Structures are given as structure tokens and as C-alpha cells.
Amino acid sequence: MERCHLLERVSSRLDDHQYGAPKQRSTTYALVDMMLHHWHAAVDRGQSVRTVFVDFAKAFDHVDHNVLIFNIVALELPYVIVRWTCTFVRHRHQRVKIGDILSDWLQLAARMPQRSYLDPLTFIILIDSLRPGCLTHKFVDDTTMTETLNKSTASNTQSLADELVYQVTETGMIVNDRKTKRMLKSATACHSRW
């Protein structure tokens, strides 16, 4: 099963704000949608925009095979694709070679084979269910949450971030707190907290 055939079967069921694998999508499309259609439009209306740039710790190393298979089944893909994916991800082994020395073989319970064409596709299927209750743009393992606020409206950014962390934890992944950033944009100020 080629990646393009699998993508064709799932692309209509994926989050509309996933820009990492579907046709006619790219980082440029994601940036135009975020910055022009949402952020700048909100600032032009006199609103402020709070944004959280989420980083996953070793994203592809934390792909839980059971959660991935569950998500593939939830997409109602044909049984042959589910079985093929199970065969592809399960019972894989790895070892490290430094010079002439080899480590023992280690069976992988979670992780995607490196440099596979299926890496990005399986990852976007894994994180498709991440929907914290606000506008969320995704580009494979990069996730950006956006909250638009009217003047004197209290922010829910923290509770939205907490919801995303909960959902991420349910998938077996980890949010990297040190690399996750937030930014505030308004007509009078634009600053980031790093």
C-alpha cells in the first residue's frame, strides 16, 4: 500500500487544519491561514490573539502503536489497511552500532521506523484527535493553538492548554514544556513569552 493511496482514503476525514500531508497543503498555506485569515483579521477588528506553539518531546519516538491502530480503525479504513499497518509498526527491533561494536537488539513498543514515508502520515493520524476547543493548526508534529479575545474578555488559554496536554497524554506523547512558547498579539502590543 503506497502512502498516496492511504492518504487519499483518510484525507477527507482528517482535521481541516492539518497542513502536513494532505494535497494542496504546505507550511505556506498554514501560515497564510493562521496569520492573515485569523491573527491579522482579529487584530484589525480590535481583538487580541493569544497563541501557544506546542512542541512534542521526541514526537516520532512516542508513537504508541496501540493508539495509532485504534485511530486507524476509528477512520473506518478497510481491514487490510489496519492489518498492514499493524504488521508495519509491530515487532520491530533496533540496535546501535558505534564503530565495530553492536548493542543488543531492543524491541520497540512505541516509535515509528525512521525515514519511512509513513512517518508523517501515521503521526497526523495519531494527533488528529487533538482538538482542545480552540482554533488549532497542525503541521505534522507542530501544533499551534489560537485564542481570539475581545477587549476585557478573560483568557481561557491556560485551560485550553491543559486540555491539549491531557489529550496529548492520552495518546502516549509528551509536551516539551521548555520548547512550547506562547505569544500575545494585539493592535497595541505584540510580544512573546519565552
Side-chain angles (χ1 to χ4, degrees), residues 3 7 10-34 37-38 124 128 131 135-140:
R3 177 178 178 245
L7 183 56
V10 300
S11 62
S12 65
R13 297 180 180 147
L14 295 174
D15 186 344
D16 286 339
H17 289 103
Q18 172 56 260
Y19 291 88
K23 289 182 180 181
Q24 306 297 320
R25 302 286 180 109
S26 67
T27 52
T28 302
Y29 285 95
L31 290 171
V32 166
D33 189 45
M34 278 188 290
H37 297 163
H38 296 285
I124 66 171
D128 188 61
R131 303 189 188 201
L135 179 63
T136 306
H137 287 81
K138 302 169 189 168
F139 190 87
V140 188

PDB file of all heavy atoms in Angstrom, residues 3 7 10-34 37-38 124 128 131 135-140:
ATOM      1  N   ARG A   3       1.841   5.235   0.223  1.00  0.00           N
ATOM      2  CA  ARG A   3       1.438   6.338   1.094  1.00  0.00           C
ATOM      3  C   ARG A   3       0.329   7.161   0.453  1.00  0.00           C
ATOM      4  O   ARG A   3      -0.631   7.548   1.108  1.00  0.00           O
ATOM      5  CB  ARG A   3       2.655   7.214   1.390  1.00  0.00           C
ATOM      6  CG  ARG A   3       2.348   8.418   2.219  1.00  0.00           C
ATOM      7  CD  ARG A   3       3.646   9.179   2.477  1.00  0.00           C
ATOM      8  NE  ARG A   3       3.367  10.367   3.221  1.00  0.00           N
ATOM      9  CZ  ARG A   3       3.554  11.593   2.757  1.00  0.00           C
ATOM     10  NH1 ARG A   3       4.011  11.775   1.547  1.00  0.00           N
ATOM     11  NH2 ARG A   3       3.286  12.634   3.499  1.00  0.00           N
ATOM     12  N   LEU A   7      -3.245   8.021   2.037  1.00  0.00           N
ATOM     13  CA  LEU A   7      -3.592   9.422   2.259  1.00  0.00           C
ATOM     14  C   LEU A   7      -4.905   9.779   1.585  1.00  0.00           C
ATOM     15  O   LEU A   7      -5.733  10.488   2.163  1.00  0.00           O
ATOM     16  CB  LEU A   7      -2.469  10.333   1.765  1.00  0.00           C
ATOM     17  CG  LEU A   7      -2.660  11.823   1.992  1.00  0.00           C
ATOM     18  CD1 LEU A   7      -2.893  12.129   3.467  1.00  0.00           C
ATOM     19  CD2 LEU A   7      -1.459  12.591   1.479  1.00  0.00           C
ATOM     20  N   VAL A  10      -7.828   8.728   3.765  1.00  0.00           N
ATOM     21  CA  VAL A  10      -8.054   9.383   5.062  1.00  0.00           C
ATOM     22  C   VAL A  10      -8.132  10.897   5.000  1.00  0.00           C
ATOM     23  O   VAL A  10      -8.633  11.512   5.933  1.00  0.00           O
ATOM     24  CB  VAL A  10      -6.975   8.972   6.091  1.00  0.00           C
ATOM     25  CG1 VAL A  10      -6.972   7.485   6.321  1.00  0.00           C
ATOM     26  CG2 VAL A  10      -5.606   9.495   5.720  1.00  0.00           C
ATOM     27  N   SER A  11      -7.668  11.521   3.924  1.00  0.00           N
ATOM     28  CA  SER A  11      -7.539  12.982   3.924  1.00  0.00           C
ATOM     29  C   SER A  11      -8.863  13.697   4.158  1.00  0.00           C
ATOM     30  O   SER A  11      -8.900  14.723   4.827  1.00  0.00           O
ATOM     31  CB  SER A  11      -6.873  13.475   2.643  1.00  0.00           C
ATOM     32  OG  SER A  11      -7.655  13.141   1.531  1.00  0.00           O
ATOM     33  N   SER A  12      -9.965  13.177   3.641  1.00  0.00           N
ATOM     34  CA  SER A  12     -11.254  13.848   3.837  1.00  0.00           C
ATOM     35  C   SER A  12     -11.754  13.723   5.273  1.00  0.00           C
ATOM     36  O   SER A  12     -12.641  14.457   5.688  1.00  0.00           O
ATOM     37  CB  SER A  12     -12.297  13.280   2.877  1.00  0.00           C
ATOM     38  OG  SER A  12     -12.555  11.919   3.179  1.00  0.00           O
ATOM     39  N   ARG A  13     -11.174  12.815   6.040  1.00  0.00           N
ATOM     40  CA  ARG A  13     -11.603  12.617   7.433  1.00  0.00           C
ATOM     41  C   ARG A  13     -10.691  13.297   8.438  1.00  0.00           C
ATOM     42  O   ARG A  13     -10.973  13.300   9.622  1.00  0.00           O
ATOM     43  CB  ARG A  13     -11.660  11.121   7.728  1.00  0.00           C
ATOM     44  CG  ARG A  13     -12.686  10.415   6.883  1.00  0.00           C
ATOM     45  CD  ARG A  13     -12.709   8.950   7.205  1.00  0.00           C
ATOM     46  NE  ARG A  13     -13.706   8.303   6.381  1.00  0.00           N
ATOM     47  CZ  ARG A  13     -13.603   7.080   5.939  1.00  0.00           C
ATOM     48  NH1 ARG A  13     -12.545   6.362   6.242  1.00  0.00           N
ATOM     49  NH2 ARG A  13     -14.543   6.558   5.194  1.00  0.00           N
ATOM     50  N   LEU A  14      -9.586  13.845   7.961  1.00  0.00           N
ATOM     51  CA  LEU A  14      -8.626  14.485   8.864  1.00  0.00           C
ATOM     52  C   LEU A  14      -9.046  15.915   9.179  1.00  0.00           C
ATOM     53  O   LEU A  14      -9.807  16.536   8.438  1.00  0.00           O
ATOM     54  CB  LEU A  14      -7.229  14.478   8.252  1.00  0.00           C
ATOM     55  CG  LEU A  14      -6.585  13.114   8.043  1.00  0.00           C
ATOM     56  CD1 LEU A  14      -5.267  13.264   7.298  1.00  0.00           C
ATOM     57  CD2 LEU A  14      -6.373  12.402   9.364  1.00  0.00           C
ATOM     58  N   ASP A  15      -8.514  16.434  10.262  1.00  0.00           N
ATOM     59  CA  ASP A  15      -8.735  17.816  10.676  1.00  0.00           C
ATOM     60  C   ASP A  15      -8.452  18.750   9.500  1.00  0.00           C
ATOM     61  O   ASP A  15      -7.411  18.640   8.849  1.00  0.00           O
ATOM     62  CB  ASP A  15      -7.783  18.111  11.843  1.00  0.00           C
ATOM     63  CG  ASP A  15      -8.002  19.458  12.482  1.00  0.00           C
ATOM     64  OD1 ASP A  15      -8.672  20.324  11.879  1.00  0.00           O
ATOM     65  OD2 ASP A  15      -7.491  19.662  13.588  1.00  0.00           O
ATOM     66  N   ASP A  16      -9.361  19.690   9.229  1.00  0.00           N
ATOM     67  CA  ASP A  16      -9.179  20.645   8.131  1.00  0.00           C
ATOM     68  C   ASP A  16      -7.961  21.547   8.328  1.00  0.00           C
ATOM     69  O   ASP A  16      -7.485  22.150   7.375  1.00  0.00           O
ATOM     70  CB  ASP A  16     -10.415  21.538   7.977  1.00  0.00           C
ATOM     71  CG  ASP A  16     -11.581  20.804   7.351  1.00  0.00           C
ATOM     72  OD1 ASP A  16     -11.356  19.771   6.682  1.00  0.00           O
ATOM     73  OD2 ASP A  16     -12.724  21.253   7.540  1.00  0.00           O
ATOM     74  N   HIS A  17      -7.491  21.638   9.555  1.00  0.00           N
ATOM     75  CA  HIS A  17      -6.342  22.493   9.848  1.00  0.00           C
ATOM     76  C   HIS A  17      -5.049  21.687   9.992  1.00  0.00           C
ATOM     77  O   HIS A  17      -4.119  22.119  10.666  1.00  0.00           O
ATOM     78  CB  HIS A  17      -6.609  23.352  11.089  1.00  0.00           C
ATOM     79  CG  HIS A  17      -7.632  24.415  10.827  1.00  0.00           C
ATOM     80  ND1 HIS A  17      -8.934  24.298  11.264  1.00  0.00           N
ATOM     81  CD2 HIS A  17      -7.553  25.578  10.151  1.00  0.00           C
ATOM     82  CE1 HIS A  17      -9.607  25.360  10.868  1.00  0.00           C
ATOM     83  NE2 HIS A  17      -8.795  26.155  10.198  1.00  0.00           N
ATOM     84  N   GLN A  18      -4.998  20.507   9.372  1.00  0.00           N
ATOM     85  CA  GLN A  18      -3.758  19.726   9.297  1.00  0.00           C
ATOM     86  C   GLN A  18      -3.132  20.018   7.942  1.00  0.00           C
ATOM     87  O   GLN A  18      -3.716  19.718   6.911  1.00  0.00           O
ATOM     88  CB  GLN A  18      -4.045  18.233   9.445  1.00  0.00           C
ATOM     89  CG  GLN A  18      -2.863  17.312   9.196  1.00  0.00           C
ATOM     90  CD  GLN A  18      -1.650  17.589  10.054  1.00  0.00           C
ATOM     91  OE1 GLN A  18      -0.701  18.229   9.613  1.00  0.00           O
ATOM     92  NE2 GLN A  18      -1.680  17.116  11.289  1.00  0.00           N
ATOM     93  N   TYR A  19      -1.959  20.614   7.959  1.00  0.00           N
ATOM     94  CA  TYR A  19      -1.316  21.046   6.724  1.00  0.00           C
ATOM     95  C   TYR A  19      -0.094  20.198   6.361  1.00  0.00           C
ATOM     96  O   TYR A  19       0.598  20.509   5.423  1.00  0.00           O
ATOM     97  CB  TYR A  19      -0.899  22.518   6.840  1.00  0.00           C
ATOM     98  CG  TYR A  19      -2.091  23.432   6.868  1.00  0.00           C
ATOM     99  CD1 TYR A  19      -2.727  23.748   8.064  1.00  0.00           C
ATOM    100  CD2 TYR A  19      -2.600  23.961   5.694  1.00  0.00           C
ATOM    101  CE1 TYR A  19      -3.837  24.573   8.081  1.00  0.00           C
ATOM    102  CE2 TYR A  19      -3.708  24.790   5.699  1.00  0.00           C
ATOM    103  CZ  TYR A  19      -4.328  25.087   6.899  1.00  0.00           C
ATOM    104  OH  TYR A  19      -5.431  25.900   6.910  1.00  0.00           O
ATOM    105  N   GLY A  20       0.172  19.138   7.099  1.00  0.00           N
ATOM    106  CA  GLY A  20       1.417  18.411   6.935  1.00  0.00           C
ATOM    107  C   GLY A  20       1.474  17.334   5.889  1.00  0.00           C
ATOM    108  O   GLY A  20       2.543  16.929   5.505  1.00  0.00           O
ATOM    109  N   ALA A  21       0.371  16.812   5.385  1.00  0.00           N
ATOM    110  CA  ALA A  21       0.450  15.737   4.411  1.00  0.00           C
ATOM    111  C   ALA A  21      -0.597  15.827   3.306  1.00  0.00           C
ATOM    112  O   ALA A  21      -0.321  15.403   2.200  1.00  0.00           O
ATOM    113  CB  ALA A  21       0.341  14.384   5.109  1.00  0.00           C
ATOM    114  N   PRO A  22      -1.789  16.350   3.585  1.00  0.00           N
ATOM    115  CA  PRO A  22      -2.806  16.374   2.514  1.00  0.00           C
ATOM    116  C   PRO A  22      -2.361  17.173   1.292  1.00  0.00           C
ATOM    117  O   PRO A  22      -1.556  18.102   1.405  1.00  0.00           O
ATOM    118  CB  PRO A  22      -4.009  17.053   3.192  1.00  0.00           C
ATOM    119  CG  PRO A  22      -3.807  16.811   4.654  1.00  0.00           C
ATOM    120  CD  PRO A  22      -2.319  16.834   4.841  1.00  0.00           C
ATOM    121  N   LYS A  23      -2.920  16.808   0.133  1.00  0.00           N
ATOM    122  CA  LYS A  23      -2.600  17.527  -1.098  1.00  0.00           C
ATOM    123  C   LYS A  23      -3.062  18.977  -0.983  1.00  0.00           C
ATOM    124  O   LYS A  23      -4.033  19.277  -0.291  1.00  0.00           O
ATOM    125  CB  LYS A  23      -3.290  16.867  -2.287  1.00  0.00           C
ATOM    126  CG  LYS A  23      -2.698  15.541  -2.664  1.00  0.00           C
ATOM    127  CD  LYS A  23      -3.395  14.969  -3.881  1.00  0.00           C
ATOM    128  CE  LYS A  23      -2.772  13.635  -4.246  1.00  0.00           C
ATOM    129  NZ  LYS A  23      -3.393  13.060  -5.433  1.00  0.00           N
ATOM    130  N   GLN A  24      -2.366  19.827  -1.704  1.00  0.00           N
ATOM    131  CA  GLN A  24      -2.671  21.253  -1.730  1.00  0.00           C
ATOM    132  C   GLN A  24      -2.507  21.899  -0.352  1.00  0.00           C
ATOM    133  O   GLN A  24      -3.174  22.874  -0.033  1.00  0.00           O
ATOM    134  CB  GLN A  24      -4.096  21.512  -2.258  1.00  0.00           C
ATOM    135  CG  GLN A  24      -4.392  20.887  -3.592  1.00  0.00           C
ATOM    136  CD  GLN A  24      -3.511  21.439  -4.707  1.00  0.00           C
ATOM    137  OE1 GLN A  24      -3.250  22.630  -4.755  1.00  0.00           O
ATOM    138  NE2 GLN A  24      -3.057  20.563  -5.582  1.00  0.00           N
ATOM    139  N   ARG A  25      -1.637  21.349   0.472  1.00  0.00           N
ATOM    140  CA  ARG A  25      -1.359  21.901   1.794  1.00  0.00           C
ATOM    141  C   ARG A  25       0.149  22.032   1.938  1.00  0.00           C
ATOM    142  O   ARG A  25       0.906  21.266   1.366  1.00  0.00           O
ATOM    143  CB  ARG A  25      -1.892  20.991   2.908  1.00  0.00           C
ATOM    144  CG  ARG A  25      -3.371  20.704   2.864  1.00  0.00           C
ATOM    145  CD  ARG A  25      -4.170  21.914   3.304  1.00  0.00           C
ATOM    146  NE  ARG A  25      -5.589  21.668   3.280  1.00  0.00           N
ATOM    147  CZ  ARG A  25      -6.335  21.544   4.360  1.00  0.00           C
ATOM    148  NH1 ARG A  25      -5.794  21.613   5.552  1.00  0.00           N
ATOM    149  NH2 ARG A  25      -7.617  21.349   4.250  1.00  0.00           N
ATOM    150  N   SER A  26       0.585  22.998   2.733  1.00  0.00           N
ATOM    151  CA  SER A  26       2.016  23.190   2.978  1.00  0.00           C
ATOM    152  C   SER A  26       2.170  24.150   4.146  1.00  0.00           C
ATOM    153  O   SER A  26       1.184  24.677   4.675  1.00  0.00           O
ATOM    154  CB  SER A  26       2.699  23.781   1.737  1.00  0.00           C
ATOM    155  OG  SER A  26       2.228  25.104   1.509  1.00  0.00           O
ATOM    156  N   THR A  27       3.414  24.415   4.534  1.00  0.00           N
ATOM    157  CA  THR A  27       3.649  25.401   5.596  1.00  0.00           C
ATOM    158  C   THR A  27       3.162  26.771   5.155  1.00  0.00           C
ATOM    159  O   THR A  27       2.658  27.544   5.963  1.00  0.00           O
ATOM    160  CB  THR A  27       5.145  25.485   5.965  1.00  0.00           C
ATOM    161  OG1 THR A  27       5.914  25.685   4.780  1.00  0.00           O
ATOM    162  CG2 THR A  27       5.612  24.250   6.679  1.00  0.00           C
ATOM    163  N   THR A  28       3.291  27.079   3.866  1.00  0.00           N
ATOM    164  CA  THR A  28       2.826  28.375   3.364  1.00  0.00           C
ATOM    165  C   THR A  28       1.324  28.519   3.567  1.00  0.00           C
ATOM    166  O   THR A  28       0.849  29.550   4.063  1.00  0.00           O
ATOM    167  CB  THR A  28       3.168  28.536   1.861  1.00  0.00           C
ATOM    168  OG1 THR A  28       4.589  28.401   1.710  1.00  0.00           O
ATOM    169  CG2 THR A  28       2.714  29.874   1.335  1.00  0.00           C
ATOM    170  N   TYR A  29       0.559  27.492   3.222  1.00  0.00           N
ATOM    171  CA  TYR A  29      -0.884  27.528   3.432  1.00  0.00           C
ATOM    172  C   TYR A  29      -1.214  27.683   4.914  1.00  0.00           C
ATOM    173  O   TYR A  29      -2.129  28.432   5.284  1.00  0.00           O
ATOM    174  CB  TYR A  29      -1.559  26.267   2.881  1.00  0.00           C
ATOM    175  CG  TYR A  29      -1.681  26.232   1.386  1.00  0.00           C
ATOM    176  CD1 TYR A  29      -0.728  25.580   0.616  1.00  0.00           C
ATOM    177  CD2 TYR A  29      -2.748  26.840   0.737  1.00  0.00           C
ATOM    178  CE1 TYR A  29      -0.837  25.535  -0.767  1.00  0.00           C
ATOM    179  CE2 TYR A  29      -2.864  26.798  -0.643  1.00  0.00           C
ATOM    180  CZ  TYR A  29      -1.903  26.147  -1.387  1.00  0.00           C
ATOM    181  OH  TYR A  29      -2.010  26.110  -2.749  1.00  0.00           O
ATOM    182  N   ALA A  30      -0.497  26.969   5.752  1.00  0.00           N
ATOM    183  CA  ALA A  30      -0.739  27.060   7.197  1.00  0.00           C
ATOM    184  C   ALA A  30      -0.467  28.473   7.703  1.00  0.00           C
ATOM    185  O   ALA A  30      -1.267  29.033   8.459  1.00  0.00           O
ATOM    186  CB  ALA A  30       0.134  26.047   7.944  1.00  0.00           C
ATOM    187  N   LEU A  31       0.648  29.054   7.295  1.00  0.00           N
ATOM    188  CA  LEU A  31       0.993  30.406   7.751  1.00  0.00           C
ATOM    189  C   LEU A  31       0.001  31.442   7.239  1.00  0.00           C
ATOM    190  O   LEU A  31      -0.400  32.348   7.981  1.00  0.00           O
ATOM    191  CB  LEU A  31       2.411  30.762   7.323  1.00  0.00           C
ATOM    192  CG  LEU A  31       3.512  30.002   8.047  1.00  0.00           C
ATOM    193  CD1 LEU A  31       4.860  30.261   7.394  1.00  0.00           C
ATOM    194  CD2 LEU A  31       3.544  30.358   9.521  1.00  0.00           C
ATOM    195  N   VAL A  32      -0.399  31.336   5.981  1.00  0.00           N
ATOM    196  CA  VAL A  32      -1.386  32.276   5.433  1.00  0.00           C
ATOM    197  C   VAL A  32      -2.696  32.164   6.208  1.00  0.00           C
ATOM    198  O   VAL A  32      -3.302  33.176   6.590  1.00  0.00           O
ATOM    199  CB  VAL A  32      -1.603  32.039   3.919  1.00  0.00           C
ATOM    200  CG1 VAL A  32      -2.842  32.763   3.416  1.00  0.00           C
ATOM    201  CG2 VAL A  32      -0.375  32.473   3.140  1.00  0.00           C
ATOM    202  N   ASP A  33      -3.148  30.939   6.454  1.00  0.00           N
ATOM    203  CA  ASP A  33      -4.404  30.761   7.190  1.00  0.00           C
ATOM    204  C   ASP A  33      -4.299  31.326   8.602  1.00  0.00           C
ATOM    205  O   ASP A  33      -5.186  32.068   9.040  1.00  0.00           O
ATOM    206  CB  ASP A  33      -4.803  29.285   7.224  1.00  0.00           C
ATOM    207  CG  ASP A  33      -6.201  29.093   7.775  1.00  0.00           C
ATOM    208  OD1 ASP A  33      -7.120  29.842   7.363  1.00  0.00           O
ATOM    209  OD2 ASP A  33      -6.390  28.199   8.618  1.00  0.00           O
ATOM    210  N   MET A  34      -3.232  30.985   9.313  1.00  0.00           N
ATOM    211  CA  MET A  34      -3.067  31.473  10.690  1.00  0.00           C
ATOM    212  C   MET A  34      -2.909  32.981  10.736  1.00  0.00           C
ATOM    213  O   MET A  34      -3.659  33.676  11.416  1.00  0.00           O
ATOM    214  CB  MET A  34      -1.838  30.825  11.354  1.00  0.00           C
ATOM    215  CG  MET A  34      -2.079  29.465  11.908  1.00  0.00           C
ATOM    216  SD  MET A  34      -0.660  28.853  12.871  1.00  0.00           S
ATOM    217  CE  MET A  34       0.554  28.580  11.612  1.00  0.00           C
ATOM    218  N   HIS A  37      -5.663  35.079   7.787  1.00  0.00           N
ATOM    219  CA  HIS A  37      -7.092  34.831   7.959  1.00  0.00           C
ATOM    220  C   HIS A  37      -7.555  34.921   9.401  1.00  0.00           C
ATOM    221  O   HIS A  37      -8.733  35.202   9.641  1.00  0.00           O
ATOM    222  CB  HIS A  37      -7.470  33.474   7.378  1.00  0.00           C
ATOM    223  CG  HIS A  37      -7.237  33.379   5.906  1.00  0.00           C
ATOM    224  ND1 HIS A  37      -7.189  32.181   5.245  1.00  0.00           N
ATOM    225  CD2 HIS A  37      -7.019  34.322   4.955  1.00  0.00           C
ATOM    226  CE1 HIS A  37      -6.959  32.392   3.960  1.00  0.00           C
ATOM    227  NE2 HIS A  37      -6.847  33.683   3.762  1.00  0.00           N
ATOM    228  N   HIS A  38      -6.680  34.664  10.344  1.00  0.00           N
ATOM    229  CA  HIS A  38      -7.111  34.645  11.744  1.00  0.00           C
ATOM    230  C   HIS A  38      -6.441  35.732  12.584  1.00  0.00           C
ATOM    231  O   HIS A  38      -7.122  36.578  13.152  1.00  0.00           O
ATOM    232  CB  HIS A  38      -6.889  33.253  12.347  1.00  0.00           C
ATOM    233  CG  HIS A  38      -7.727  32.207  11.674  1.00  0.00           C
ATOM    234  ND1 HIS A  38      -9.079  32.076  11.881  1.00  0.00           N
ATOM    235  CD2 HIS A  38      -7.403  31.265  10.754  1.00  0.00           C
ATOM    236  CE1 HIS A  38      -9.562  31.099  11.150  1.00  0.00           C
ATOM    237  NE2 HIS A  38      -8.564  30.578  10.449  1.00  0.00           N
ATOM    238  N   ILE A 124       0.158  12.131  11.749  1.00  0.00           N
ATOM    239  CA  ILE A 124      -1.018  13.004  11.677  1.00  0.00           C
ATOM    240  C   ILE A 124      -2.297  12.240  11.996  1.00  0.00           C
ATOM    241  O   ILE A 124      -3.244  12.819  12.522  1.00  0.00           O
ATOM    242  CB  ILE A 124      -1.132  13.755  10.327  1.00  0.00           C
ATOM    243  CG1 ILE A 124      -1.384  12.820   9.174  1.00  0.00           C
ATOM    244  CG2 ILE A 124       0.075  14.622  10.088  1.00  0.00           C
ATOM    245  CD1 ILE A 124      -1.709  13.527   7.873  1.00  0.00           C
ATOM    246  N   ASP A 128      -4.635  13.479  15.090  1.00  0.00           N
ATOM    247  CA  ASP A 128      -5.861  14.044  14.529  1.00  0.00           C
ATOM    248  C   ASP A 128      -6.899  14.330  15.605  1.00  0.00           C
ATOM    249  O   ASP A 128      -7.663  15.288  15.506  1.00  0.00           O
ATOM    250  CB  ASP A 128      -6.445  13.116  13.461  1.00  0.00           C
ATOM    251  CG  ASP A 128      -7.599  13.752  12.734  1.00  0.00           C
ATOM    252  OD1 ASP A 128      -7.381  14.815  12.097  1.00  0.00           O
ATOM    253  OD2 ASP A 128      -8.720  13.212  12.801  1.00  0.00           O
ATOM    254  N   ARG A 131      -7.914  18.099  19.772  1.00  0.00           N
ATOM    255  CA  ARG A 131      -8.786  19.243  19.488  1.00  0.00           C
ATOM    256  C   ARG A 131      -9.170  19.881  20.815  1.00  0.00           C
ATOM    257  O   ARG A 131     -10.172  19.519  21.429  1.00  0.00           O
ATOM    258  CB  ARG A 131     -10.005  18.792  18.712  1.00  0.00           C
ATOM    259  CG  ARG A 131      -9.565  18.088  17.415  1.00  0.00           C
ATOM    260  CD  ARG A 131     -10.647  17.785  16.490  1.00  0.00           C
ATOM    261  NE  ARG A 131     -10.103  16.942  15.410  1.00  0.00           N
ATOM    262  CZ  ARG A 131     -10.674  16.819  14.262  1.00  0.00           C
ATOM    263  NH1 ARG A 131     -11.779  17.446  14.006  1.00  0.00           N
ATOM    264  NH2 ARG A 131     -10.140  16.043  13.338  1.00  0.00           N
ATOM    265  N   LEU A 135      -9.162  27.214  17.959  1.00  0.00           N
ATOM    266  CA  LEU A 135      -8.570  27.056  16.634  1.00  0.00           C
ATOM    267  C   LEU A 135      -7.180  26.446  16.798  1.00  0.00           C
ATOM    268  O   LEU A 135      -6.344  26.969  17.530  1.00  0.00           O
ATOM    269  CB  LEU A 135      -8.471  28.415  15.939  1.00  0.00           C
ATOM    270  CG  LEU A 135      -7.852  28.427  14.553  1.00  0.00           C
ATOM    271  CD1 LEU A 135      -8.687  27.603  13.576  1.00  0.00           C
ATOM    272  CD2 LEU A 135      -7.705  29.858  14.058  1.00  0.00           C
ATOM    273  N   THR A 136      -6.945  25.323  16.135  1.00  0.00           N
ATOM    274  CA  THR A 136      -5.680  24.608  16.264  1.00  0.00           C
ATOM    275  C   THR A 136      -5.173  24.247  14.880  1.00  0.00           C
ATOM    276  O   THR A 136      -5.853  23.545  14.140  1.00  0.00           O
ATOM    277  CB  THR A 136      -5.851  23.335  17.114  1.00  0.00           C
ATOM    278  OG1 THR A 136      -6.437  23.687  18.368  1.00  0.00           O
ATOM    279  CG2 THR A 136      -4.525  22.654  17.363  1.00  0.00           C
ATOM    280  N   HIS A 137      -3.996  24.753  14.532  1.00  0.00           N
ATOM    281  CA  HIS A 137      -3.350  24.425  13.260  1.00  0.00           C
ATOM    282  C   HIS A 137      -2.273  23.387  13.521  1.00  0.00           C
ATOM    283  O   HIS A 137      -1.552  23.477  14.522  1.00  0.00           O
ATOM    284  CB  HIS A 137      -2.713  25.666  12.638  1.00  0.00           C
ATOM    285  CG  HIS A 137      -3.704  26.620  12.075  1.00  0.00           C
ATOM    286  ND1 HIS A 137      -4.394  27.520  12.855  1.00  0.00           N
ATOM    287  CD2 HIS A 137      -4.126  26.820  10.804  1.00  0.00           C
ATOM    288  CE1 HIS A 137      -5.199  28.230  12.089  1.00  0.00           C
ATOM    289  NE2 HIS A 137      -5.055  27.826  10.835  1.00  0.00           N
ATOM    290  N   LYS A 138      -2.163  22.427  12.607  1.00  0.00           N
ATOM    291  CA  LYS A 138      -1.177  21.357  12.765  1.00  0.00           C
ATOM    292  C   LYS A 138      -0.375  21.229  11.475  1.00  0.00           C
ATOM    293  O   LYS A 138      -0.925  21.333  10.385  1.00  0.00           O
ATOM    294  CB  LYS A 138      -1.866  20.027  13.059  1.00  0.00           C
ATOM    295  CG  LYS A 138      -2.751  20.039  14.291  1.00  0.00           C
ATOM    296  CD  LYS A 138      -3.585  18.787  14.358  1.00  0.00           C
ATOM    297  CE  LYS A 138      -4.626  18.878  15.446  1.00  0.00           C
ATOM    298  NZ  LYS A 138      -5.625  17.816  15.354  1.00  0.00           N
ATOM    299  N   PHE A 139       0.904  21.001  11.635  1.00  0.00           N
ATOM    300  CA  PHE A 139       1.760  20.638  10.508  1.00  0.00           C
ATOM    301  C   PHE A 139       2.614  19.474  10.980  1.00  0.00           C
ATOM    302  O   PHE A 139       3.638  19.666  11.636  1.00  0.00           O
ATOM    303  CB  PHE A 139       2.637  21.808  10.042  1.00  0.00           C
ATOM    304  CG  PHE A 139       3.332  21.506   8.747  1.00  0.00           C
ATOM    305  CD1 PHE A 139       2.715  21.767   7.543  1.00  0.00           C
ATOM    306  CD2 PHE A 139       4.584  20.916   8.737  1.00  0.00           C
ATOM    307  CE1 PHE A 139       3.326  21.454   6.336  1.00  0.00           C
ATOM    308  CE2 PHE A 139       5.215  20.595   7.547  1.00  0.00           C
ATOM    309  CZ  PHE A 139       4.586  20.872   6.340  1.00  0.00           C
ATOM    310  N   VAL A 140       2.137  18.288  10.711  1.00  0.00           N
ATOM    311  CA  VAL A 140       2.715  17.035  11.203  1.00  0.00           C
ATOM    312  C   VAL A 140       2.867  17.140  12.716  1.00  0.00           C
ATOM    313  O   VAL A 140       1.874  17.121  13.425  1.00  0.00           O
ATOM    314  CB  VAL A 140       4.019  16.653  10.472  1.00  0.00           C
ATOM    315  CG1 VAL A 140       4.475  15.260  10.885  1.00  0.00           C
ATOM    316  CG2 VAL A 140       3.835  16.697   8.963  1.00  0.00           C
TER     317      VAL A 140
END
